[in-house]
């Protein structure tokens, strides 16, 4: 992401003006996290107009329009981020020159098109998202290929999602005779070459910390040998000088679930432990282990977590990004205050993306959990002096009951 400027509005001290240009899927995720309903944006949009005395339609030049955001739709896999809004006056006089005020419009975020966001109450979580988005090194940490016979998925793993960049599929014939065997070998060679080409198109070998090749059986090993062979043939220095970044692993499937298997396998964790993705997976596994042991060291739910924070008992806080995307600003501020309190007391805070499987799992546990500094068997007992309201406690309890029912 290219950030032009971030400055405080001269007209409204609670408003921050952010000028930026998105460049990839991760930037869409950042924008999705930052813009809320009632925030304002200036974007460029194409309009169609009719010529006078003609039924022909012509495409005008890009118009700059300023809108107040009403709603949004987001799908990172399809690179789709769309907003609905209503046009509002622009004090600078740049936008809405030929567009009427109060007009309802929808618009999509496009790569390379700069936009300006008028953000109300820019909190420190949003500021951190912008800083990370501007630093490309905080984006993709792992390049991964998961494959089995005749099918492969080339992916990038980032702090917010697993992005499948390309799928390669070929139909390989059964080797009934010598002719079939020759055809099989030729197609298999072409299959590995396609994977190699897809990796070159989507991987920056000099920036990725790990290049993961995983499969059931011997397919990952065969791919690795073909990659090195093709790299020698092509004099691909980026691969040749980064051979130590390759990690070969075994999994049960050539589909995306295979990557999750590897990331949870202690056999491969040491090689991967410096990446945020794997740290999240390991931390969630540690939390679940405490729950399984029933040692009163791990708790989930709003009541229990806030009560533990009040007691300065939290060693590690686990929270999904949906908590910080709540449309209830007051509730969002409470979660931000919770983060500040825990960090001030020496605790650690991990924000899980719900676009990752680890974030999805945590969301099923109310999206808010903690690992304690010491065991508290009675943490879920209600006390009259607790600051958490009855309605909030009931909400937390009802979420738990729904999960128990669904598991049953």
């Amino acid at each position: 992401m290219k950030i032009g400027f971030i400055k405080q509005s001269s007209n409204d001290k609670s408003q921050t003006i952010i000028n930026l240009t998105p460049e990839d899927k991760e930037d869409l995720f950042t924008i999705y996290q930052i813009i809320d309903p009632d925030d304002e944006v200036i974007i460029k949009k194409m309009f169609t107009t009719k010529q006078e005395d003609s039924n022909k339609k012509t495409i005008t030049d890009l118009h700059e329009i300023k809108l107040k955001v009403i709603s949004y739709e987001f799908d990172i896999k399809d690179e789709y981020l769309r907003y609905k809004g209503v046009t509002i006056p622009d004090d600078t006089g740049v936008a809405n020159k030929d567009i009427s005020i109060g007009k309802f419009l929808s618009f999509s975020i496009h790569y390379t098109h700069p936009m300006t966001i008028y953000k109300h109450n820019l909190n420190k979580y949003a500021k951190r998202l912008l800083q990370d988005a501007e630093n490309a090194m905080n984006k993709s940490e792992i390049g991964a290929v998961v494959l089995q016979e005749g099918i492969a998925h080339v992916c990038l793993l980032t702090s917010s999602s697993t992005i499948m960049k390309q799928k390669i599929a070929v139909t390989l014939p059964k080797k009934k005779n010598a002719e079939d065997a020759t055809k099989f070998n030729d197609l298999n060679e072409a299959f590995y070459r396609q994977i190699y080409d897809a990796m070159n198109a989507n991987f920056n070998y000099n920036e990725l910390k790990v290049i993961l090749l995983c499969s059931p059986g011997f397919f990952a090993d065969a791919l690795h040998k073909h990659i090195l062979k093709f790299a020698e043939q092509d004099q691909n220095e980026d691969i040749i000088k980064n051979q130590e970044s390759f990690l070969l692993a075994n999994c049960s499937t050539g589909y995306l679930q295979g990557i999750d298997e590897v990331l949870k396998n202690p056999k491969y964790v040491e090689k991967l432990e410096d990446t945020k993705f794997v740290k999240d997976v390991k931390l969630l596994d540690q939390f679940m282990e405490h729950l399984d042991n029933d040692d009163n060291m791990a708790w989930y739910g709003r009541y229990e977590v806030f009560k533990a924070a009040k007691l300065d008992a939290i060693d590690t806080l686990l929270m999904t990004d949906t908590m910080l995307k709540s449309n209830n600003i007051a509730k969002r501020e409470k979660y931000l205050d919770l983060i500040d309190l825990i960090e001030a007391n020496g605790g650690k805070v991990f924000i899980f993306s719900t676009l990752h499987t680890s974030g999805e799992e945590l969301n099923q546990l109310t999206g808010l959990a903690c690992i304690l500094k010491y065991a508290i068997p009675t943490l879920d007992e209600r006390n009259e002096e607790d600051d958490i309201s009855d309605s909030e406690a009931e909400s937390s309890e009802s979420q738990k009951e729904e999960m128990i029912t669904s598991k049953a």
Side-chain angles (χ1 to χ4, degrees), residues 73-240:
E73 297 175 69
F74 178 55
D75 187 334
I76 196 170
K77 292 179 182 177
D78 294 331
E79 302 183 51
Y80 180 85
L81 178 55
R82 189 172 182 82
Y83 289 93
K84 291 181 180 179
V86 58
T87 54
I88 58 174
D90 177 29
D91 296 335
T92 66
V94 174
N96 298 342
K97 287 183 177 179
D98 301 309
I99 307 297
S100 59
I101 303 303
K103 185 179 181 68
F104 288 87
L105 297 170
S106 61
F107 62 96
S108 297
I109 303 299
H110 296 285
Y111 300 144
T112 73
H113 283 191
M115 62 184 298
T116 302
I117 303 168
Y118 291 76
K119 173 69 184 169
H120 294 285
N121 302 312
L122 184 72
N123 58 52
K124 72 174 188 178
Y125 175 66
K127 290 177 182 177
R128 193 188 77 184
L129 287 173
L130 287 169
Q131 290 170 354
D132 289 348
E134 194 174 20
N135 184 355
M137 289 300 292
N138 286 331
K139 294 186 177 181
S140 300
E141 298 179 304
I142 302 175
V145 181
V146 58
L147 71 155
Q148 61 190 47
E149 185 174 86
I151 191 163
H153 303 84
V154 179
C155 305
L156 285 172
L157 279 62
T158 73
S159 60
S160 63
S161 64
T162 299
I163 303 171
M164 187 175 73
K165 301 297 292 184
Q166 195 167 333
K167 178 179 179 179
I168 299 102
V170 299
T171 303
L172 298 172
K174 294 183 178 180
K175 295 182 282 187
K176 295 180 179 179
N177 51 49
E179 184 178 346
D180 287 342
T182 301
K183 187 176 180 181
F184 177 93
N185 291 334
D186 290 343
L187 286 172
N188 203 41
E189 188 79 2
F191 171 61
Y192 286 123
R193 184 78 202 197
Q194 287 182 59
I195 299 173
Y196 170 79
D197 290 341
M199 292 172 65
N200 288 337
N202 294 291
F203 289 178
N204 185 333
Y205 298 101
N206 296 317
E207 290 188 0
L208 292 172
K209 294 181 179 179
V210 177
I211 301 154
L212 174 64
L213 309 178
C214 55
S215 74
F218 58 85
F219 298 105
D221 184 59
L223 173 61
H224 185 234
K225 290 176 180 176
H226 277 83
I227 290 170
L228 296 182
K229 181 180 76 172
F230 296 146
E232 288 291 341
Q233 292 173 355
D234 298 348
Q235 289 298 294
N236 189 330
E237 292 298 324
D238 288 339
I239 290 180
I240 292 171

Side-chain angles (χ1 to χ4, degrees), residues 205-365:
Y205 298 101
N206 296 317
E207 290 188 0
L208 292 172
K209 294 181 179 179
V210 177
I211 301 154
L212 174 64
L213 309 178
C214 55
S215 74
F218 58 85
F219 298 105
D221 184 59
L223 173 61
H224 185 234
K225 290 176 180 176
H226 277 83
I227 290 170
L228 296 182
K229 181 180 76 172
F230 296 146
E232 288 291 341
Q233 292 173 355
D234 298 348
Q235 289 298 294
N236 189 330
E237 292 298 324
D238 288 339
I239 290 180
I240 292 171
K241 69 183 182 182
N242 287 294
Q243 291 185 48
E244 70 280 358
S245 298
F246 283 87
L247 172 64
L248 277 62
N250 189 260
C251 57
S252 65
T253 175
Y255 291 84
L256 299 188
Q257 302 95 306
I259 297 175
D260 291 335
E261 289 179 21
V262 173
L263 297 177
K264 292 182 178 181
N265 191 328
K267 182 178 178 181
Y268 309 114
V269 163
E270 183 178 354
K271 179 77 174 180
L272 297 165
E273 64 184 358
D274 287 337
T275 65
K276 182 185 185 301
F277 188 106
V278 175
K279 287 178 180 177
D280 286 354
V281 172
K282 281 183 64 180
L283 181 59
L284 188 61
D285 283 348
Q286 181 185 348
F287 172 81
M288 296 303 294
E289 186 177 345
H290 281 297
L291 282 187
D292 291 340
N293 292 337
D294 198 19
D295 57 11
N296 298 307
M297 288 290 293
W299 294 85
Y300 64 89
R302 190 182 187 284
Y303 179 89
E304 289 79 0
V305 170
F306 272 81
K307 184 177 177 181
K310 186 179 176 183
L311 296 170
D312 186 17
I314 294 180
D315 176 77
T316 307
L317 177 72
L318 296 75
M319 179 188 292
T320 59
D321 52 17
T322 54
M323 299 293 169
L324 301 174
K325 184 64 177 170
S326 170
N327 288 333
N328 186 325
I329 301 300
K331 185 176 288 187
R332 190 188 305 187
E333 290 299 323
K334 283 188 177 181
Y335 291 128
L336 290 168
D337 290 342
L338 174 66
I339 291 172
D340 288 341
L341 175 61
I342 291 170
E343 290 180 337
N345 290 331
K348 300 180 288 292
V349 176
F350 288 80
I351 308 298
F352 286 67
S353 168
T354 46
L355 297 179
H356 272 319
T357 53
S358 57
E360 290 176 358
E361 290 179 43
L362 181 58
N363 229 21
Q364 292 172 4
L365 298 173

